[in-house]
Amino acid sequence: MPAPPAAPQPLQILTPSGDLAADSPLPLARIKDLYRSMVAARAYDKKCSAMQRQGRLATYAQFEGQEAAQIGAVAALEPRDWVVATYRDAAAMWFHGYPWLNLILGRTGDERGGHAPAGVNVLPPSITVGAHMIHAVGLGWASLVRGDDAVAMTFFGDGATSEGDFHEAMNFAGVFRTPTVFVCQNNGWAISMPRERQTASATIAQKADAYGMAGVLVDGNDLLAVYAAAHEAVIRARAGEGATLIEAVTYRMGPHTTTDDAGRYRDADHLAEWAARDPLERVRRHLEANGEWTAEWQHGIEIGEAETVEAAVEEAEALPAFDAGDIFDGMFVDLPVALRRQRRAAEDGAG
Amino acid sequence: MPAPPAAPQPLQILTPSGDLAADSPLPLARIKDLYRSMVAARAYDKKCSAMQRQGRLATYAQFEGQEAAQIGAVAALEPRDWVVATYRDAAAMWFHGYPWLNLILGRTGDERGGHAPAGVNVLPPSITVGAHMIHAVGLGWASLVRGDDAVAMTFFGDGATSEGDFHEAMNFAGVFRTPTVFVCQNNGWAISMPRERQTASATIAQKADAYGMAGVLVDGNDLLAVYAAAHEAVIRARAGEGATLIEAVTYRMGPHTTTDDAGRYRDADHLAEWAARDPLERVRRHLEANGEWTAEWQHGIEIGEAETVEAAVEEAEALPAFDAGDIFDGMFVDLPVALRRQRRAAEDGAG
Amino acid sequence: MTERNIAQALNDALDVALADPSVVLLGEDVGRTGGVFRVSDGLQQRHGAARVIDTPVAESGIVGAAFGMAVAGLRPVAEIQFMGFSYPAYDQIVSHVARIRNRSRHRFTAPMVIRIPYGAGIGAAEHHSESTETIYAHTPGLKVVVPSTPYDAKGMLLAAVADPDPVIFLEPIRLYRAVKGEVPDGHYAVSLDEAELVADGTDVTLVGYGAMMREVRRTVEALAAEGVSAAAVDLRTLAPLDLDPVVASVERTGRCVVVHEAPRTGGLAGEIVASVQERALYSLRAPIERVTGWDTVVPLRRSEHHYVPTVERIVAAVHRTLEA
Amino acid sequence: MTERNIAQALNDALDVALADPSVVLLGEDVGRTGGVFRVSDGLQQRHGAARVIDTPVAESGIVGAAFGMAVAGLRPVAEIQFMGFSYPAYDQIVSHVARIRNRSRHRFTAPMVIRIPYGAGIGAAEHHSESTETIYAHTPGLKVVVPSTPYDAKGMLLAAVADPDPVIFLEPIRLYRAVKGEVPDGHYAVSLDEAELVADGTDVTLVGYGAMMREVRRTVEALAAEGVSAAAVDLRTLAPLDLDPVVASVERTGRCVVVHEAPRTGGLAGEIVASVQERALYSLRAPIERVTGWDTVVPLRRSEHHYVPTVERIVAAVHRTLEA
Ligand SMILES: Cc1ncc(C[n+]2csc(CCOP(=O)(O)OP(=O)(O)O)c2C)c(N)n1
Ligand SMILES: Cc1ncc(C[n+]2csc(CCOP(=O)(O)OP(=O)(O)O)c2C)c(N)n1
Ligand SMILES: [Mg+2]
Ligand SMILES: [Mg+2]
């Protein structure tokens, strides 16, 4: 099978060595803030991996390497906007206001993790691959119906672009010009399936063309490039100019999840290559070069963020588990008679 | 909403006035044969519309105007190839060997219509929109597994391109380079939905690009252009070079089906415009200009083909309807015990 | 009050519902041409193309987009053209629409209606005659309802739109224009969790819903003519099931026949029989009979009559219970 | 004979099946990495990437392509990673796979297997614990089977591959590695239309299938310890259902408890109860009891134990039938 045509170069603003290849879309202070958020996200990711090894969490899907793609994109949103993301997008969700507590609860296997605080417009993470993108289309569409200007941003992987629902979501967004920002994190893999075997198109970004939509290819490990692309997409969406597909080219540094053994299907070569493009390190270099970074500061934020995560873990683990009856209470606003009977039976250990 | 970018000009070989705009891909004798087939198909179409009005058929979906798109494409196939088509593609199916009898039986509401004769590689028409294209991918894929060279050609409408299954079929065909020819008859409408509201992409042909596949835009009312595009696609498929998407731009001259009232959603303006591009008339002119057409010959084939259709109608209507027990017999190769019990009850009018 | 058939009653219900600016209708051909059954006739003209929306041909997209709208606080009413075309949307319905309330423990909800014409009997093409309500009734988190009269059609549709949880609203194709009745103008609601005893009797209890209610009602008459006194219950809501009137009646009659046109195996009649025997076994004087579609594909036009339950088949089943 | 667990028995069955060049395996991650449960471990290496095929993430595409292959005369075995991910393929399965034989009156057929790991109990994420076999068992034209032992797993999978009609082959996730047994090497087949009486007894008849058979077998032991003699039937095939051994046993015991982890309403227990009372009403000394999952979403890891039927719940139900 011949190789697909060579893909065009993704948009890059911050080079791996921390230099600006183009004007920065953000002031240094904001970049520093976002850097701190990426450090926080990585602390969470590491904590969850460790907890999973200790049997305190169910399966966990690491996002190491994808912090810039997630936080850079969400940084372009306002609180009234929506985030609709997946199991691997904890950084995106958290940055838009979904507490670590909720994320951890979800990972311990507790439905209460799905209850975002009031005012936080983040849906619980999508576990099914593909189905959630159209939800973001509907959320954005509601803005059109009501005449407000909230935008919906949805995150998904390269694998998700193969599902029929991706197509229907993109097509609806194109036809109805909904204020939707599609962020595909092409991290090279869908479990054991490499990106080249997922679709024969040279890039995912070019798929936008099939829907009369703008498509942008960006270096997903470049916080500033991701932000710039997302910012433009959000502005267009808010202005009624419709949706955008952003392909953020990145890499899944870990296995698919903590139960996956990536050694079965990929060799470690790529890892070193991608480690050199680490999304945090290049921002760190940029900050350092601009006199905004010291080792003590780094040490301080790492400890501070780890403590915040730790506190959330403690709170999650202290929460008493559901009683039998509680599993019924999320089903309807009012339990119908038949379910009330079942609830009673469950409490009594009967039926 | 701004209009989508202007679509490129479709490939045309035979102009509406019957002149050649490029070399003909076919000898005159073959064109004459294909013309006769288009006349036959139109005779069938008219007969079915009449029968439906008389209450002798269930709903019927006319294909008037689309004869060239269907017969031109199938003309590029060999008998060992597959045709996987829809409710509106009787001309394509028949031309590949599916008898009028079967098509009429299907339309009277008789399952036996689905039983193509042995050796005829045509699936029963797809009634669901979208699901059947991936079947053609699987049929072609089987050739790859077995190392033979049968190709599968699938027909579908502009509306069908919105279904998720279109996307999955195109993507699989792209990734696995299956010998599949996708023929989209863009007839301007999906029931009441005009093509411009079905997708925001300028053409359907360009959607091929999203799958690393070749896409071709042709004048679907031009028998020779459709043939040429299909012929090339079949050659590529047989040579292991993968699938092609052909968009044949045509027009649905009738309502969606005999129960639809197109006057509710479109005005008649376009009809006159498209009548001037009639796919039969331009071939007729071409034949006449080349001394291959006379009014008597036309009269003769019209009568002959109408008689053939008539004979099939008579045979279909003479077939005794199913007994109660017969409705079970298509379900499994051997009826399981539970179904044998039900069959007996049905015969006895019990249960 | 206006005399309306079911299609007209539904059209009226949608028109009344659209007075609320958060209600939107979406689906294939629902707008410009008013839907294949004309149930939304005139509504796009009246309420605008932004709220009565013609969509591309993509059922999963329709349901998924409606879901997003509902989460955002709108009250979408999505139409699927025929039950057989709801299957491409199955994942959206069962994995997302039915679950968002539980997944978010009430933080997000999907107050939406999915209207689905269902059932056989009009000699339609394959996939146009499905009666697979079980697949939705078996899905925790969904309400599944089906009216059989114009009055219920309008009142239940308005209740469905107002319901804070998702409702699968089945419409009996065969009865759209076959049943007429007085329908109040303006707004009213019919409860979505109560079955209705539509005939009282002492010898046998008939249970049905939707399109089959016509056969059930006719069976009551046919039995009366031969001196058999039949009670009949219109379930109206299939999930959650209200079997109280059925059980109460069976305790009196000791005999029961459950009717649906869905395939036998795994159909809701099984559920009903199991629940009734749980609650009234000692009242039963004969096995509960089921009169249903067969475990076959719904036959096409020429053979459909071999499949759909008829008054004759129901009467025969009643006779079996009387003779047992 | 080799001692194997269920996952190993299935792996062996697929290896044996692949000796036939018309058999192909396809699905997400089935090849290179041997499937998320390693059921196809080593098979791509042994039989090549053209016949053990890693596909894009697209369930409808997997089933639809397998369907096309089957119509062309191959014998595809498609894998869906978890039952919750079979829903995007629902339309392909019910509208096409199940129907092509009838639609073409035997001219075209779909001799294919769809392997689907199912069931709760491993504390997985949402959608990974589904037990919605009803939606397939309710679909005319499908066979639906589920083994509970390594011996049956291999023999039934080989029978499914050889079957001229499509088979939904459910694999109990919880038992993949939990049950071991002697499994013959090479080819053998276990019938796809016979339930098996796995314990005989005189006081009560337990009916179960798949993962729940572990609880059922343990219940038989627990009851024996308290002097209650329980019979137990492993249905093995859910469509078509073979209830002969159940009816024969109930005629003796007069009591019956049906167990499944699927949600209660519309679950197959209803079907089984309805059929048993049709055939053995006068033998019943107590209402038939159902012990099932609840009408809720399967809870996540921390609360799953409140949902899945336990030996205690089954024993309690048996006591109710004994005291009735
Ligand atoms: C509908 C569905 N099919 C299959 C799965 C199993 N599955 C979970 S993640 C995954 C791969 C997704 O890859 P991608 O979209 O690239 O996201 P990534 O995991 O790389 O972030 C698969 C197949 C699923 N969760 N949902
Ligand atoms: C899955 C599905 N959804 C909806 C329908 C109802 N329907 C039948 S034809 C049609 C329009 C199809 O338009 P197009 O694909 O352009 O084909 P055309 O009818 O123009 O030939 C629709 C929506 C269907 N048959 N199947
Ligand atoms: Mg990925
Ligand atoms: Mg069309």
Side-chain angles (χ1 to χ4, degrees):
Chain A
M1 190 170 301
Q9 278 306 307
L11 171 73
Q12 194 178 69
I13 294 179
L14 196 59
T15 70
S17 51
D19 304 321
L20 286 174
D23 285 350
S24 171
L26 288 173
L28 258 187
R30 184 83 201 284
I31 297 174
K32 196 169 173 179
D33 256 16
L34 296 178
Y35 177 73
R36 187 187 174 122
S37 292
M38 293 200 291
V39 168
R42 190 161 285 183
Y44 166 82
D45 200 44
K46 292 225 176 305
K47 177 71 190 175
C48 285
S49 304
M51 284 177 73
Q52 200 279 337
R53 279 191 302 275
Q54 296 155 356
R56 290 155 72 193
L57 288 192
T59 316
Y60 176 69
Q62 292 114 311
F63 54 75
E64 188 187 330
Q66 304 181 208
E67 294 89 346
Q70 295 183 30
I71 289 175
V74 177
L77 296 180
E78 302 291 333
R80 67 182 178 286
D81 298 325
W82 289 89
V83 167
V84 185
T86 83
Y87 52 85
R88 202 184 299 290
D89 302 319
M93 294 171 65
W94 165 75
F95 191 77
H96 202 57
Y98 208 82
W100 290 138
L101 171 64
N102 289 65
L103 287 158
I104 293 162
L105 276 174
R107 291 304 87 217
T108 63
D110 189 315
E111 282 78 2
R112 286 165 291 190
H115 188 106
V120 171
N121 286 343
V122 180
L123 293 196
S126 179
I127 305 294
T128 62
V129 169
H132 64 294
M133 299 170 250
I134 185 78
H135 306 165
V137 173
L139 286 161
W141 201 339
S143 297
L144 298 183
V145 172
R146 277 201 295 237
D148 65 41
D149 74 348
V151 165
M153 180 179 279
T154 180
F155 289 85
F156 52 97
D158 43 314
T161 65
S162 294
E163 292 278 6
D165 273 2
F166 164 75
H167 176 71
E168 300 193 14
M170 292 286 290
N171 194 48
F172 272 57
V175 168
F176 297 104
R177 297 178 74 83
T178 60
T180 317
V181 181
F182 292 88
V183 182
C184 179
Q185 290 173 83
N186 168 5
N187 64 1
W189 297 91
I191 310 188
S192 69
M193 188 77 160
R195 152 65 188 88
E196 308 75 61
R197 304 284 304 149
Q198 194 66 240
T199 173
S201 80
T203 69
I204 286 167
Q206 80 192 49
K207 290 178 187 280
D209 212 44
Y211 310 99
M213 192 190 290
V216 191
L217 186 70
V218 301
D219 179 343
N221 284 19
D222 174 352
L223 180 75
L224 301 185
V226 173
Y227 172 80
H231 183 62
E232 199 183 311
V234 169
I235 287 178
R236 295 182 59 251
R238 245 192 263 292
E241 288 163 26
T244 305
L245 170 64
I246 297 173
E247 175 183 0
V249 182
T250 178
Y251 202 78
R252 193 191 79 202
M253 298 302 287
H256 173 66
T257 65
T258 44
T259 58
D260 177 44
D261 172 8
R264 292 175 70 97
Y265 54 81
R266 73 180 186 191
D267 37 43
D269 297 6
H270 283 293
L271 283 180
E273 197 181 299
W274 280 93
R277 301 186 208 154
D278 181 62
L280 273 68
E281 175 59 14
R282 71 171 83 173
V283 181
R284 193 200 63 72
R285 286 184 185 165
H286 181 67
L287 292 174
E288 186 175 16
N290 286 275
E292 290 287 343
W293 185 89
T294 64
E296 304 80 71
W297 179 75
Q298 175 83 22
H299 189 68
I301 62 171
E302 276 178 8
I303 291 193
E305 297 299 345
E307 277 171 0
T308 308
V309 170
E310 195 60 55
V313 168
E314 275 164 30
E315 192 176 345
E317 293 190 332
L319 195 70
F322 278 158
D323 289 331
D326 295 325
I327 69 169
F328 293 84
D329 294 345
M331 296 307 299
F332 293 97
V333 68
D334 290 317
L335 276 195
V337 178
L339 264 184
R340 282 207 293 273
R341 281 201 196 114
Q342 285 192 15
R343 190 184 194 287
R344 229 171 298 128
E347 285 175 325
D348 299 349
Chain B
M1 190 171 303
Q9 276 308 305
L11 171 73
Q12 195 179 70
I13 294 180
L14 196 60
T15 69
S17 50
D19 304 321
L20 286 174
D23 284 349
S24 170
L26 287 173
L28 258 187
R30 185 81 202 286
I31 297 176
K32 195 167 173 180
D33 256 17
L34 296 178
Y35 177 73
R36 186 186 175 122
S37 293
M38 293 199 293
V39 168
R42 191 160 284 183
Y44 166 82
D45 200 45
K46 293 230 176 299
K47 177 71 192 176
C48 286
S49 304
M51 285 176 72
Q52 201 280 338
R53 280 192 301 274
Q54 295 154 357
R56 292 155 72 193
L57 288 192
T59 316
Y60 177 71
Q62 292 113 312
F63 54 75
E64 188 186 331
Q66 303 182 209
E67 294 89 346
Q70 295 185 30
I71 290 176
V74 177
L77 297 180
E78 302 290 332
R80 67 182 178 286
D81 297 325
W82 288 88
V83 167
V84 185
T86 84
Y87 52 85
R88 203 184 300 288
D89 301 319
M93 295 172 65
W94 166 77
F95 191 77
H96 202 56
Y98 208 84
W100 290 140
L101 171 64
N102 289 66
L103 287 158
I104 293 162
L105 277 174
R107 291 304 87 216
T108 62
D110 189 314
E111 282 77 2
R112 287 165 291 191
H115 188 105
V120 171
N121 286 342
V122 180
L123 293 195
S126 179
I127 306 295
T128 63
V129 170
H132 64 293
M133 301 170 249
I134 185 78
H135 305 165
V137 173
L139 286 162
W141 201 340
S143 297
L144 298 182
V145 172
R146 277 203 296 238
D148 65 39
D149 74 347
V151 164
M153 180 179 278
T154 180
F155 289 84
F156 52 96
D158 43 315
T161 66
S162 294
E163 291 279 4
D165 273 2
F166 163 76
H167 176 71
E168 299 194 13
M170 292 288 289
N171 195 46
F172 272 57
V175 169
F176 296 105
R177 296 178 73 81
T178 60
T180 317
V181 182
F182 292 87
V183 182
C184 177
Q185 290 172 83
N186 168 4
N187 65 2
W189 297 91
I191 309 186
S192 69
M193 187 76 159
R195 154 63 189 87
E196 308 76 58
R197 304 284 305 150
Q198 193 66 241
T199 173
S201 79
T203 69
I204 286 167
Q206 80 193 49
K207 290 179 187 279
D209 211 45
Y211 310 100
M213 192 189 292
V216 192
L217 185 70
V218 300
D219 178 343
N221 285 17
D222 174 352
L223 181 76
L224 302 185
V226 173
Y227 173 81
H231 183 63
E232 198 182 312
V234 169
I235 287 178
R236 295 181 60 252
R238 246 193 259 294
E241 288 163 25
T244 305
L245 170 63
I246 297 172
E247 174 182 359
V249 182
T250 177
Y251 201 77
R252 195 191 77 202
M253 298 301 288
H256 172 65
T257 64
T258 44
T259 57
D260 177 43
D261 172 8
R264 291 176 70 96
Y265 53 81
R266 72 179 185 192
D267 38 41
D269 297 5
H270 283 294
L271 282 180
E273 199 181 300
W274 280 93
R277 299 185 209 156
D278 182 62
L280 273 66
E281 175 59 12
R282 70 172 86 173
V283 181
R284 193 201 63 71
R285 287 184 185 166
H286 180 66
L287 291 174
E288 186 175 18
N290 285 274
E292 291 286 343
W293 185 89
T294 64
E296 303 82 70
W297 178 75
Q298 175 83 23
H299 189 67
I301 62 171
E302 276 179 7
I303 290 193
E305 298 299 345
E307 277 171 1
T308 307
V309 169
E310 195 59 56
V313 168
E314 275 164 30
E315 193 176 343
E317 294 192 332
L319 195 70
F322 278 158
D323 288 330
D326 295 325
I327 68 170
F328 292 85
D329 294 345
M331 296 308 299
F332 292 98
V333 67
D334 290 318
L335 276 196
V337 178
L339 265 185
R340 280 208 294 273
R341 281 202 198 113
Q342 285 192 14
R343 191 184 193 286
R344 227 171 299 128
E347 285 176 325
D348 300 348
Chain C
M1 286 281 186
T2 311
E3 168 140 310
R4 293 185 164 98
N5 62 31
I6 290 185
Q8 291 162 337
L10 292 168
N11 180 273
D12 185 37
L14 292 172
D15 193 32
V16 170
L18 281 159
D20 173 351
S22 65
V23 172
V24 297
L25 263 52
L26 70 167
E28 295 156 15
D29 308 293
V30 297
R32 192 77 182 272
T33 191
V36 287
F37 293 107
R38 306 285 176 255
V39 168
S40 47
D41 195 19
L43 299 179
Q44 186 179 72
Q45 288 79 344
R46 213 145 43 241
H47 301 278
R51 289 180 57 224
V52 180
I53 306 164
D54 283 311
T55 67
V57 185
E59 291 75 15
S60 189
I62 292 167
V63 172
F67 172 80
M69 290 175 169
V71 169
L74 298 183
R75 297 209 163 237
V77 180
E79 177 184 294
I80 299 294
Q81 258 174 14
F82 286 87
M83 194 161 208
F85 309 143
S86 72
Y87 307 151
Y90 190 67
D91 183 52
Q92 287 290 345
I93 298 172
V94 308
S95 301
H96 299 287
V97 173
R99 296 188 178 187
I100 186 65
R101 181 185 287 280
N102 186 61
R103 181 178 300 152
S104 72
R105 293 299 284 191
H106 303 278
R107 169 69 174 85
F108 300 111
T109 58
M112 60 190 277
V113 180
I114 306 179
R115 293 181 39 240
I116 314 182
Y118 90 99
I122 61 160
E126 203 192 335
H127 310 286
H128 290 69
S129 304
E130 308 282 296
S131 180
T132 45
E133 54 277 10
T134 296
I135 65 174
Y136 298 115
H138 185 51
T139 301
L142 296 179
K143 293 189 181 165
V144 182
V145 308
V146 48
S148 74
T149 67
Y151 179 89
D152 280 355
K154 178 174 174 183
M156 289 169 70
L157 184 50
L158 283 167
V161 172
D163 200 282
D165 282 299
V167 178
I168 305 289
F169 191 90
L170 303 178
E171 301 176 2
I173 295 174
R174 208 150 8 124
L175 301 190
Y176 267 140
R177 294 184 162 71
V179 186
K180 287 210 164 104
E182 288 297 315
V183 174
D185 299 318
H187 192 283
Y188 68 95
V190 170
S191 150
L192 299 187
D193 51 21
E194 279 174 86
E196 190 184 9
L197 186 76
V198 296
D200 210 354
T202 52
D203 297 328
V204 63
T205 307
L206 307 180
V207 183
Y209 54 88
M212 279 295 115
M213 284 313 296
R214 186 166 56 169
E215 275 64 31
V216 167
R217 289 173 200 269
R218 287 183 182 162
T219 302
V220 171
E221 286 166 30
L223 290 170
E226 49 177 81
V228 176
S229 161
V233 175
D234 180 355
L235 291 173
R236 301 198 296 189
T237 295
L238 306 181
L241 271 172
D242 169 25
L243 295 178
D244 291 351
V246 177
V247 171
S249 175
V250 169
E251 279 167 353
R252 196 139 79 105
T253 62
R255 298 181 179 87
C256 183
V257 175
V258 187
V259 183
H260 60 57
E261 62 180 287
R264 167 80 51 111
T265 298
L268 283 177
E271 175 63 34
I272 296 160
V273 173
S275 298
V276 171
Q277 70 89 37
E278 272 160 25
R279 295 169 62 185
L281 180 72
Y282 304 114
S283 305
L284 287 179
R285 296 195 233 166
I288 305 174
E289 289 274 341
R290 293 184 280 173
V291 181
T292 66
W294 308 111
D295 291 341
T296 68
V297 177
V298 185
L300 300 179
R301 185 159 168 268
R302 291 186 84 185
S303 317
E304 204 178 10
H305 60 285
H306 294 311
Y307 180 90
V308 183
T310 55
V311 173
E312 292 69 41
R313 276 172 63 195
I314 307 173
V315 167
V318 169
H319 288 169
R320 285 197 299 280
T321 68
L322 289 168
E323 286 148 21
Chain D
M1 286 284 185
T2 310
E3 169 138 312
R4 292 185 164 97
N5 63 31
I6 289 185
Q8 291 161 336
L10 292 168
N11 180 272
D12 186 36
L14 292 172
D15 194 32
V16 170
L18 282 158
D20 172 352
S22 65
V23 173
V24 297
L25 263 53
L26 70 166
E28 294 156 17
D29 308 293
V30 297
R32 192 77 181 272
T33 193
V36 287
F37 292 108
R38 305 286 178 255
V39 168
S40 46
D41 196 19
L43 299 179
Q44 186 179 73
Q45 289 79 345
R46 214 143 46 240
H47 301 277
R51 289 180 55 222
V52 181
I53 306 164
D54 282 312
T55 67
V57 185
E59 292 74 18
S60 190
I62 292 167
V63 172
F67 172 80
M69 290 175 169
V71 169
L74 298 183
R75 297 210 163 237
V77 180
E79 177 184 294
I80 299 295
Q81 258 175 13
F82 286 86
M83 194 160 207
F85 309 144
S86 72
Y87 307 150
Y90 190 69
D91 182 53
Q92 287 289 344
I93 296 173
V94 308
S95 299
H96 300 287
V97 173
R99 297 189 177 186
I100 186 66
R101 180 185 288 281
N102 187 60
R103 183 178 300 153
S104 72
R105 292 301 284 192
H106 303 279
R107 169 69 175 85
F108 300 111
T109 57
M112 60 189 279
V113 180
I114 306 179
R115 292 181 40 240
I116 315 182
Y118 90 99
I122 61 161
E126 201 192 336
H127 310 286
H128 290 70
S129 305
E130 308 283 295
S131 182
T132 45
E133 54 277 10
T134 296
I135 65 174
Y136 298 115
H138 186 50
T139 301
L142 296 178
K143 293 189 180 165
V144 182
V145 308
V146 49
S148 74
T149 67
Y151 179 88
D152 280 354
K154 179 173 173 184
M156 289 169 68
L157 184 49
L158 283 166
V161 172
D163 201 282
D165 283 299
V167 178
I168 305 290
F169 191 91
L170 303 178
E171 303 175 2
I173 294 173
R174 207 151 8 128
L175 301 189
Y176 267 140
R177 294 182 164 71
V179 185
K180 285 208 166 101
E182 289 295 317
V183 174
D185 299 319
H187 192 283
Y188 68 96
V190 170
S191 151
L192 299 187
D193 51 23
E194 280 173 85
E196 190 184 10
L197 186 77
V198 296
D200 209 353
T202 52
D203 296 329
V204 63
T205 307
L206 307 180
V207 183
Y209 53 88
M212 278 296 114
M213 283 313 297
R214 187 166 57 170
E215 274 65 32
V216 168
R217 289 174 199 268
R218 286 182 183 162
T219 302
V220 172
E221 287 166 29
L223 290 170
E226 49 176 79
V228 175
S229 163
V233 175
D234 179 356
L235 291 173
R236 299 198 298 189
T237 295
L238 306 181
L241 270 174
D242 169 25
L243 295 177
D244 291 349
V246 177
V247 171
S249 176
V250 170
E251 278 168 354
R252 197 138 79 105
T253 62
R255 297 179 180 88
C256 184
V257 176
V258 187
V259 183
H260 61 56
E261 62 180 288
R264 168 80 50 110
T265 298
L268 284 177
E271 175 62 35
I272 295 159
V273 172
S275 297
V276 171
Q277 69 88 38
E278 271 159 28
R279 294 169 61 185
L281 180 71
Y282 304 113
S283 306
L284 287 179
R285 295 196 234 165
I288 305 175
E289 288 274 342
R290 293 184 280 173
V291 181
T292 66
W294 308 112
D295 292 340
T296 68
V297 178
V298 185
L300 299 179
R301 185 158 168 269
R302 290 186 87 184
S303 316
E304 204 178 9
H305 60 286
H306 293 311
Y307 180 89
V308 183
T310 55
V311 172
E312 293 68 42
R313 275 173 62 196
I314 307 173
V315 168
V318 169
H319 287 168
R320 284 197 300 277
T321 68
L322 290 168
E323 287 148 21

